[in-house]
């Protein structure tokens, strides 16, 4: 039996725990696209099936999904900023927009302290992610 791979870093998504199922999936998909764009070195190689059909590469390490209340998100956001970490964010206003231009405008219209965060994603060393996400639990 092979030993499990222990990665020195974590890709983590933190979702507000009061989101509907479709919202959790939607937010997660959008947030991890920011990580993939900013850190393409996290992507593995393309996939191929036994017939040689090619498929897009995916992250080479797991994406861990956590849940927490509004306070957990605000705290994680503050701790990530204090550590100078890059992160992707999703605010409640983005559920009402239909494109990237309007999404960016919706975020830009609100000051950092007043963002209605429903999700965030980040990649950092494991212990840093653990400290940033303090109080959050693994998503059920």
């Amino acid at each position: 039996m092979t030993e499990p791979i222990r990665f020195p870093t974590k890709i983590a998504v933190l979702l507000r725990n009061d989101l509907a199922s479709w919202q959790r999936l939607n937010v997660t998909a959008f947030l991890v696209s920011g990580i993939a764009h900013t850190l393409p070195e996290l992507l593995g190689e393309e996939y191929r099936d036994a017939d040689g059909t090619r498929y897009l590469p995916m992250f080479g390490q797991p994406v861990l999904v956590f849940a927490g209340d509004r306070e957990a998100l605000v705290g994680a956001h503050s701790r990530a900023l204090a550590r100078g970490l890059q992160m992707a964010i999703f605010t409640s206003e983005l559920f009402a927009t239909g494109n990237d231009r309007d999404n960016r405008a919706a975020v830009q219209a609100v000051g950092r302290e007043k963002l209605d965060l429903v999700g965030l994603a980040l990649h950092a060393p494991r212990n840093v992610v653990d400290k940033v996400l303090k109080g959050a639990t693994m998503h059920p």
Side-chain angles (χ1 to χ4, degrees), residues 14 75 100 133:
L14 174 58
D100 187 54
L133 298 185

Side-chain angles (χ1 to χ4, degrees), residues 125-136:
R126 296 177 66 81
N127 64 334
V128 173
V129 171
D130 292 342
K131 289 176 184 172
V132 168
L133 298 185
K134 184 180 178 183

